[in-house]
Amino acid sequence: MKNLRTIIVIIFIVCLVLFIQLRSYYFERELSKKGELTVGRIDSIVVMPKLTNIYMSYYFEKVKFITPERKTNKYINKNYVGKFYELKYLKRYPSIVRTNFSKQVTDTTAILKAGFSIEDMEKIK
């Protein structure tokens, strides 16, 4: 009986890990195929020993989204806060985003067109 319970727990854990990996693969593939580009702003960065949480804000259909993006990139630091970057999102799942930190957006027209106001651009300078 104890062996059966252990086997069931192991099978459950394997299925859970497999589900998480497949879901992640699905979203990455969808982002590369159907991802829409917009502009997002880094609101804050929380640096932990092995992980960095980057809180991005962006607009989708005039609704402001704030979503964390986890990175292991050690080059992202607090100097990025308040800056605008290109990001990809899915229309079906607008909270799934990937930021392109190599493409900083400085064009005021593009930032305003993405839904931000002039006050948003000046808020964290």
Side-chain angles (χ1 to χ4, degrees), residues 85-117:
Y85 292 90
E86 180 183 278
L87 62 84
K88 259 189 183 182
Y89 68 95
L90 292 173
K91 282 187 175 183
R92 188 170 174 194
Y93 304 101
S95 63
I96 307 287
V97 298
R98 295 296 175 265
T99 307
N100 187 348
F101 293 103
S102 64
K103 292 193 177 177
Q104 183 177 355
V105 178
T106 56
D107 181 18
T108 307
T109 306
I111 295 169
L112 292 172
K113 188 176 177 184
F116 291 97
S117 65

Side-chain angles (χ1 to χ4, degrees), residues 24-75:
S24 176
Y25 172 76
Y26 168 77
F27 285 134
E28 290 299 328
R29 192 181 79 209
E30 289 295 302
L31 274 168
S32 67
K33 286 182 178 180
K34 301 177 184 176
E36 300 284 328
L37 293 175
T38 190
V39 176
R41 182 185 69 204
I42 297 178
D43 292 329
S44 66
I45 297 176
V46 179
V47 179
M48 294 178 274
K50 294 185 179 182
L51 192 66
T52 302
N53 281 337
I54 303 162
Y55 293 90
M56 299 288 301
S57 62
Y58 59 98
Y59 289 88
F60 173 67
E61 294 182 354
K62 298 183 181 181
V63 176
K64 185 176 185 178
F65 283 83
I66 300 174
T67 183
E69 190 172 347
R70 291 182 173 87
K71 293 287 183 190
T72 56
N73 191 342
K74 296 178 183 176
Y75 301 107

